[in-house]
Structures are given as C-alpha cells and as structure tokens.
C-alpha cells in the first residue's frame, strides 16, 4: 500500500493526530480523520498487514489464525470461579485486528442496551444516534429470493446501511443443521425475529455476516476502510510497531490536565518517537488501551509504583470494570451422512471443496455460524425469584453514586421489569468447536454454544508490575466470582435448553446423541459449568465511558479524564455489555469518535447530530 510508512519517515513526520492500534476501531478513526486533506494522520499497528492471507479472507477458514503469529495469544490469570483454570484470550495482532480474526457474525444489541449507556450520563450515546452510525459503516446486500426461502432470512432492508465501507450479507452456504433451526425453535414456542437489526434481537434468526457478496471474502476494517484510500498522502500507516507510551508535555494546564505531545514506539529493535499537534487516540482494544495508559503514567498509583512508573495522572478506574461474554459448548454427534467440516479428514473431499471455492466462490468454504437465537432468562429458567433477589441485594450494597450501583440497577431490570432482552445467546453450528472434546475419526458433529450476554462478573486488566516493560498484562475477568455468582446460576440453569433444542423435532432427526458432556444421568451440571466455561472473545469496559466520580475513564466525548487531548475509541469504552457480538458496535463507536474529533477541531467533514 502506498501509505505504508518506514519507521524513520514516520518518526520524522509531525502529525495532527496519531491513532494507536490499527484494528477494528483504529483504522476507522484514522481513515475518517484523514478525509480532511488539511490534516496529517498517523496510524500505528503492532501486527503486520495480511492482505491476501487465506486464513483471514476465506470465511470457512475462520479461527485458523488463532494461536498463530497473527494472535496476541493473551491468557487470563487462574480463575477461582473456574476451578483454578487459566483461559486463552485470542486477540488479533494484524492490520485489521480482531475484525480479521473473528467468526464474522454481524449483529447489533437491543435498543435498551445503548439507551442504558446514555442513562449512565453519556448524552448522545443512545440507540437513535448509534443507529445512524451502524448504518454509516455498512453496505448490506439483500439475499436473493431463493436464499430467503431456503435459509429463512426475514429482514427489514431499512434497518441496514447501503453505502458504508463494510460489506455485509447473508451466507451463500449454510450448514445442514440450519435447515431445521427455525422450525425447531418454532416448536419450542420461539418465533423467528423478522427484524433483528431493528432494536431487538430476541428470537431466532439467521446471521448476517461481514462478507463481500461478490468475492465471498471477509470484509474487515483493513480491506473495507484502509485499502480503498491507500493513495491518501496525508495518512501514514506504520505496521509492526509497538507503542510503549503516550508522551506528555512537561507542564500541565491551569486545570492540572496533561497535554499529549506524541507517542514512543518500538520497531526493528529500536525505540523512536512520533510527534502530534492535536490528539492521540488510543484504539488498542480492551487489553491494549488501559495497558498503554498505565505505561504512560496514567492510572492507579499503587499499580504504577510497583512497576516503577511515575504517576503523572491518578485514575484508579483505568483497567477496571472488565466485562466479558462467557460461553459453554456442548457437542452432539450427527448422522454420518451429514456434511460438516469433519469431512475434511478425506483429502479428496477437501480438494473438491477448495476447488469449488476457487472456481465459484461457493460451497463449504463460505459457511459461517448462522443459526442464532437470543432469549430472556424467563424463557429458560422457570423460577427467577432467587436470582432476582440476589440482583436486588447486589444493587443495594453499593453507594448510589458508585459505578457498581449504577450498573447493577440497570442489570437487575433484566430479571424483574418484564423487558424482553436477550440474556442468553444460543448458536448451533456444524463441526466440533470444543477445545476439550476430541473428534473420533469418521464421526460428524455439531456444537451448541450457550453465551451469557449481560454479565455481573467484573474484573480487571493491568500491567504486570514484574514485566511491564515486556508488554505483560494481568487479565483477571473474575468469572463467577463475587456478584458473578448470578452469572453462574444463570449459566447452570440454561444448559438444559441447548439439549432441548437438539432433542426437539425436526432437529432431533439428524442428532444421534450428545457426546460432550456425555449423556449420563449422574452428570453434575454445576461442576461441569465451572470447569468448562470459556471466553467468547468480547471483552469490554476497561476504559469505561462514565462520569469520573462514578468510575469513569473517559467522558462522553471519549476524552481521558485528566488529559486535554487523549481519547479512547474501541470496545474498552463500553460502560455496560450489550446483547450482541461486538464488532458492529465497535465500528459504530469508531465512526462516532471520528465525528466527535472533527467537531472539536472544526472540520466541515462530520455528521451534524
């Protein structure tokens, strides 16, 4: 790409804006800011460009970048609530970030999820405003009439954008299990949602994916936003460079705020710095953004002191309020004639599938998870009284002005207000996804994923004082600990519903039996859940957008408290989790962030909202 920069050139350029992190959000912010030809924008990414990489581009190869050089390969500290286990936390380390690694699900949360952000003191962050940005980022191609009939894809076209950079559509090939999905849920009195982008995703639906319908390749931030502006001379992109800290001027403002002057970064074994005149924008994700703030001397003095870092601005909330979707997987054996990725064990079959994709852009290599249903807890748990009482107790234990009181008062509504919100997501897809169960040769499998959407578990991400300079972080989601016991109760009691789906007609016509955990009358679901809960790769909240006195790190303009010109724009600013996969919302946050920055500096190229 023409706007790729060499380290010395990047270091010698005086930028107006420096964006740290070339992932899902950072690329959006950088490309939108550089629409103004009068400014110079720098974008720094720790990973390499991966244009043309098959494991990124081909939908059916999703997941194959996990554990490779394109993965940060983080892991949690041992989790008491998970029987002492340490969990892997894959995150994308490449241009495009996790938008180049994820499983391509494109959806939005419920109206109430975003209105809750506004209710927490963030004016302009409710559903109506964010829905504008959802549409701005997307270019949706409707499925053909034949696809709509075959795959059951009811939708309302007006809920989608038609001119945005990210290409979205419905899959062109779906697992055989999907043929029975909607009818099976109907038999369980769960209807198909005719407009799951319209402010409520509750019910069954077929997933939209971020795939270009013409090429049937992944559409992600690097291909959607960056590659089309590769000739833009006022945007310089530096891959394979780690930002070590944000640089601040020696003097604070009259209000005592820090003023950022640039960043220090490492590449090719050398440390350099880059200077900016206006703003530094952190888009390094829920792990990287709080880490960089702490390395820059902004954070909890106790943590910084242990790492030998001078405290330049105290904020004990940085790295706190970590929330994550948690998931369990159950595996079912299918009838042997069902076609699944398990067929790849036959080399000739795999060659045929690969050839079909190369020649027609069709077939199994375009298949992605598409059988979705979001359900309220009341549908899954007959008696919610004990959980409701715990939720009320956990709200009342906190001072009314505190972050935890504000968040819990919203969370408890899911149990006692009668709102129909998707507290648990179920996804069924062909193949064995389990990191524990090993497939038997010749067998065919499907995996049911049960994913909690509104967690009470709240943890933290901080630099590791013993190895902060080496980029080590301590990730402690505190799964099922403290108030997270509510999450545990919900997950234990909802496990049965995945079984029910697969034992209900017509799905039961292709399911032979459950193989993980095995069908055993003595199975202790409580113990199984504590040993088999994993991450769903949707961490948020570590630089929360909240009032400062209520535990915030950034304000509603995304500025870091105690600084004049450092913003955060990524999933770390979500104050509360949403009932959805996060990538579409991250794009919307980044689009809005770019407009906020343009508005601050008087750019005419912004939305007037």
């Amino acid at each position: 790409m023409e706007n790729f920069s060499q380290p010395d050139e990047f270091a010698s350029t005086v930028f107006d804006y420096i964006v740290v992190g070339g992932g899902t959000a950072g690329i959006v912010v950088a490309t939108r800011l550089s629409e103004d030809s009068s400014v110079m924008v720098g974008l720094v990414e720790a990973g390499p460009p991966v244009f043309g990489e098959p494991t990124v581009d081909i939908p059916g190869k999703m997941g194959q970048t996990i554990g490779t050089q394109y993965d940060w390969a983080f892991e949690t500290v041992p989790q008491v609530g998970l029987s002492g286990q340490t969990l892997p936390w894959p995150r994308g380390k490449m241009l495009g970030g996790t938008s180049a690694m994820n499983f391509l699900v494109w959806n939005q949360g419920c109206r109430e999820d975003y209105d809750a952000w506004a209710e927490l003191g963030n004016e302009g962050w409710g559903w109506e405003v964010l829905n504008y940005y959802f549409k701005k980022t997307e270019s949706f191609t409707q499925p053909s009439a034949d696809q709509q009939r075959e795959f059951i894809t009811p939708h309302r076209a007006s809920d989608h954008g038609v001119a945005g950079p990210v290409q979205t559509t419905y899959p062109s090939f779906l697992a055989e299990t999907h043929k029975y999905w909607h009818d099976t849920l109907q038999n369980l009195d769960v209807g198909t949602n005719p407009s799951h982008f319209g402010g409520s995703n509750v019910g069954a639906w077929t997933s939209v994916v971020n795939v270009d319908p013409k090429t049937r390749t992944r559409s992600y931030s690097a291909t959607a936003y960056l590659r089309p502006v590769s000739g833009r001379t006022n945007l310089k992109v530096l891959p394979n460079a780690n930002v070590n800290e944000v640089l601040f001027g020696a003097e604070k403002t009259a209000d005592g705020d820090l003023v950022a002057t640039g960043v220090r970064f490492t590449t090719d074994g050398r440390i350099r710095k880059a200077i900016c005149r206006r703003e530094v924008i952190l888009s390094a994700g829920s792990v990287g953004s709080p880490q960089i703030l702490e390395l820059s001397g902004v954070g909890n003095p106790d943590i910084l002191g242990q790492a030998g870092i001078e405290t330049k601005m105290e904020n004990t909330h940085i790295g706190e309020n970590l929330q994550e979707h948690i998931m369990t997987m159950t595996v079912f054996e299918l009838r042997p004639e069902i076609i699944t990725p398990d067929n790849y064990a036959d080399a000739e079959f795999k060659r045929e599938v690969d050839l079909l994709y190369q020649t027609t852009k069709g077939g199994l290599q375009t298949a992605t998870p598409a059988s979705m249903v979001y359900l309220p807890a009341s549908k899954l748990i007959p008696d919610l009284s004990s959980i409701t009482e715990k939720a009320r107790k956990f709200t009342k234990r906190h001072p009314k002005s505190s972050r935890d009181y504000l968040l819990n008062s919203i969370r408890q509504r899911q149990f006692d207000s009668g709102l129909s919100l998707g507290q648990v997501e179920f996804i069924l897809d062909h193949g064995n996804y389990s990191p524990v169960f090993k497939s038997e040769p010749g067998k065919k499998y499907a995996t049911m994923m049960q994913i909690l959407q509104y967690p009470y578990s709240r943890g933290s991400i901080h630099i590791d004082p013993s190895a902060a300079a080496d980029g080590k972080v301590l990730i402690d989601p505190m799964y099922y600990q403290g108030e997270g016991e509510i999450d545990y109760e919900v997950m234990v009691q909802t496990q049965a519903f995945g079984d029910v789906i697969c034992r209900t007609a017509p799905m039961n016509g292709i399911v032979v039996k459950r193989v993980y955990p095995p069908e055993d009358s003595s199975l202790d679901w409580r113990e199984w859940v504590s040993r088999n809960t994993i991450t769903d790769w949707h961490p948020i909240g570590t630089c929360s957008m909240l009032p400062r006195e209520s535990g915030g790190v950034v304000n509603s303009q995304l500025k870091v408290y105690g600084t004049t010109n450092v913003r955060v724009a990524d999933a770390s600013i979500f104050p509360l989790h949403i009932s959805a996969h996060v990538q579409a919302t991250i794009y919307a946050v980044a689009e809005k962030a770019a407009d906020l920055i343009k508005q601050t500096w008087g750019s005419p190229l912004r939305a007037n909202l």
Side-chain angles (χ1 to χ4, degrees):
M1 290 180 59
E2 295 176 41
N3 47 14
F4 280 172
S5 182
Q6 295 300 313
D8 288 339
E9 176 198 9
F10 196 89
S12 65
T13 302
V14 177
F15 294 101
D16 292 287
Y17 307 104
I18 295 177
V19 181
V20 179
T24 311
I27 285 177
V28 176
V29 174
T31 55
R32 289 303 192 192
L33 291 178
S34 66
E35 290 173 339
D36 182 348
S37 60
S38 70
V39 301
M40 180 65 71
V41 181
L43 175 64
V44 188
E45 165 54 34
V50 290
F51 298 115
E53 167 59 51
T55 58
V56 171
D57 289 347
I58 300 174
K61 293 185 182 294
M62 60 188 179
Q64 293 186 21
T65 53
I66 294 174
T68 70
Q69 71 270 31
Y70 305 133
D71 181 4
W72 280 100
F74 295 120
E75 63 178 19
T76 70
V77 301
Q79 294 296 287
V80 174
L82 304 184
S83 304
Q85 296 178 85
T86 295
L87 297 186
W89 261 40
R91 309 304 301 160
K93 188 179 183 181
M94 54 191 132
L95 204 60
T98 305
S99 73
M101 173 184 273
N102 64 27
F103 283 43
L104 300 117
V105 175
W106 185 268
N107 74 323
Q108 297 168 190
C110 294
R111 173 187 296 268
E112 291 86 352
D113 297 345
Y114 307 108
D115 286 347
W117 292 6
E119 181 183 344
L120 288 165
N122 300 305
E123 183 179 357
W125 286 90
W127 164 261
E128 293 298 337
V129 172
L130 281 174
N131 197 34
Y132 164 84
Y133 289 106
F134 281 126
K135 293 178 180 178
K136 183 178 181 180
T137 197
E138 178 190 25
S139 185
F140 175 66
T141 298
Q142 296 189 63
S144 67
D146 288 343
Q147 284 179 309
Q148 292 186 50
R149 285 190 297 270
E150 182 180 359
F151 297 151
I152 310 181
T153 58
H155 62 279
R156 189 169 61 194
S158 60
D159 291 338
H160 296 271
V162 295
V166 180
Q167 300 296 313
T168 67
T169 189
Y170 283 95
S172 61
F173 181 95
L174 290 175
E176 190 165 347
T177 49
H178 185 75
K179 297 177 182 178
Y180 310 101
W181 182 250
H182 290 270
D183 287 344
T184 299
L185 270 298
Q186 290 279 1
N187 287 337
L188 292 170
D189 197 29
V190 176
T192 293
N193 188 329
S195 177
H196 63 94
F197 279 81
S200 173
N201 57 26
V202 175
W205 37 272
T206 304
S207 179
V208 171
V209 290
N210 49 298
V211 167
D212 187 323
K214 295 179 180 177
T215 63
R216 286 293 161 183
T217 56
R218 178 190 297 266
S219 180
Y220 62 105
S221 63
T223 55
Y225 281 83
L226 186 59
R227 190 161 59 187
V229 300
S230 63
R232 196 173 281 174
T233 58
N234 66 326
L235 172 61
K236 294 185 182 296
V237 181
L238 181 64
N240 298 305
N242 283 287
V243 170
N244 309 113
E245 64 175 312
V246 177
L247 299 173
F248 294 105
E251 301 296 327
K252 294 183 180 180
T253 68
D255 294 329
D257 291 338
L258 298 170
V259 181
T261 59
V263 300
R264 196 184 311 277
F265 63 93
T266 300
T267 185
D268 298 333
R270 287 184 54 193
I271 298 176
R272 299 173 174 87
K273 65 179 180 179
I275 301 302
C276 74
R277 292 178 289 213
R278 291 186 177 180
E279 297 194 20
V280 172
I281 302 98
L282 298 180
S283 294
S286 292
V287 178
S289 288
Q291 176 192 23
I292 292 170
L293 285 173
E294 290 183 336
L295 291 172
S296 307
V298 181
N300 186 327
D302 291 340
I303 294 171
L304 302 184
Q306 292 175 43
I309 297 172
E310 175 192 356
T311 299
K312 298 175 183 175
M313 181 58 62
E314 178 177 348
N315 188 328
T316 58
H317 308 303
I318 288 171
E320 299 293 320
N321 199 35
L322 172 63
Q323 301 162 50
E324 164 65 326
H325 288 161
I326 46 183
M327 171 171 62
T328 57
M329 295 182 180
T330 47
V331 183
F332 296 84
E333 183 182 339
L334 302 179
R335 292 204 322 250
E337 68 271 20
I338 305 299
I339 299 297
T340 77
D342 303 296
N343 286 86
Y344 286 154
D346 181 338
E348 181 58 32
F349 177 86
K350 187 176 186 306
R351 278 194 293 271
E352 292 176 359
V353 168
D354 290 343
L355 180 61
L356 181 64
Y357 179 78
Q358 292 167 14
T359 55
T360 70
K361 299 303 179 186
L364 193 59
Q365 288 284 32
T366 67
T368 57
S371 302
M372 311 283 185
V373 63
Y374 281 69
L375 296 173
S378 57
K379 178 68 179 178
L380 312 168
I381 305 171
D383 183 4
L384 282 170
S385 58
S386 65
I387 293 176
T388 299
E389 184 55 37
K390 281 185 180 179
R392 290 173 180 165
K393 180 184 71 174
F394 289 154
T395 299
K396 291 179 180 178
R397 67 164 49 166
H398 302 289
K400 288 191 175 181
S401 62
S402 70
R403 176 194 67 205
D404 289 340
Y405 179 90
L406 296 172
L407 301 189
N408 284 357
S409 64
I410 291 172
R411 277 288 170 257
Q412 80 176 46
R413 295 178 198 163
Q414 63 185 304
F415 299 114
D416 64 10
S417 71
L419 290 176
S420 180
L421 299 174
Q423 289 168 266
V424 180
E425 174 191 21
F426 293 84
I427 306 175
L428 181 68
D429 196 29
H430 62 188
N432 173 18
Y433 279 61
S434 172
V436 177
F437 177 75
K438 303 303 179 185
S439 300
E440 293 184 36
K443 298 289 183 68
K444 306 297 179 60
Y445 301 99
T447 303
M448 178 68 75
M449 291 158 264
Q450 293 94 183
I451 308 161
L452 183 71
Q453 299 299 294
Y454 297 133
Y456 268 78
S457 302
R458 286 196 281 272
S460 64
I461 296 177
H462 294 293
I463 56 175
D464 183 343
S466 66
D470 297 326
K472 300 295 184 181
V473 288
L474 300 175
I475 300 174
D476 187 5
M478 294 186 68
Y479 296 130
Y480 298 151
Q481 292 179 250
E483 296 176 2
E485 68 180 77
I486 287 182
D487 303 339
Y488 183 53
E489 294 300 328
V490 172
M491 289 296 282
V492 168
Q493 294 195 48
T494 58
Q495 284 303 305
F497 200 79
D499 271 2
V500 170
I501 293 174
C502 289
R503 296 179 191 277
T504 299
M507 191 68 73
N508 62 0
I510 62 170
V511 171
V512 176
K513 61 180 178 180
R514 190 185 72 222
V515 293
Y516 186 76
E519 295 180 346
D520 184 343
S521 59
S522 65
L523 176 66
D524 183 343
W525 278 113
R526 298 186 68 85
E527 180 180 356
W528 188 86
V529 167
S530 73
R531 293 183 178 278
N532 290 276
T533 294
I534 60 175
T535 175
D536 192 35
W537 314 337
H538 299 157
I540 63 100
T542 49
C543 294
S544 289
M545 178 175 59
L546 286 167
R548 191 171 189 175
E549 64 275 11
S550 300
V553 174
V554 301
N555 63 16
S556 61
Q557 299 294 301
L558 303 184
K559 283 191 178 180
V560 176
Y561 291 117
T563 76
T564 64
N565 61 341
V566 178
R567 300 196 208 219
V568 180
D570 54 36
S572 72
I573 67 101
F574 295 15
L576 264 179
H577 225 317
I578 60 172
S579 179
H581 295 243
V582 295
Q583 74 159 329
T585 301
I586 295 172
Y587 278 108
V589 165
E591 286 277 13
K592 180 172 169 63
D595 271 352
L596 289 172
I597 296 167
K598 289 177 179 179
Q599 185 177 32
T600 297
W601 296 96
S603 170
L605 300 171
R606 67 180 190 274
N608 293 310
L609 292 179

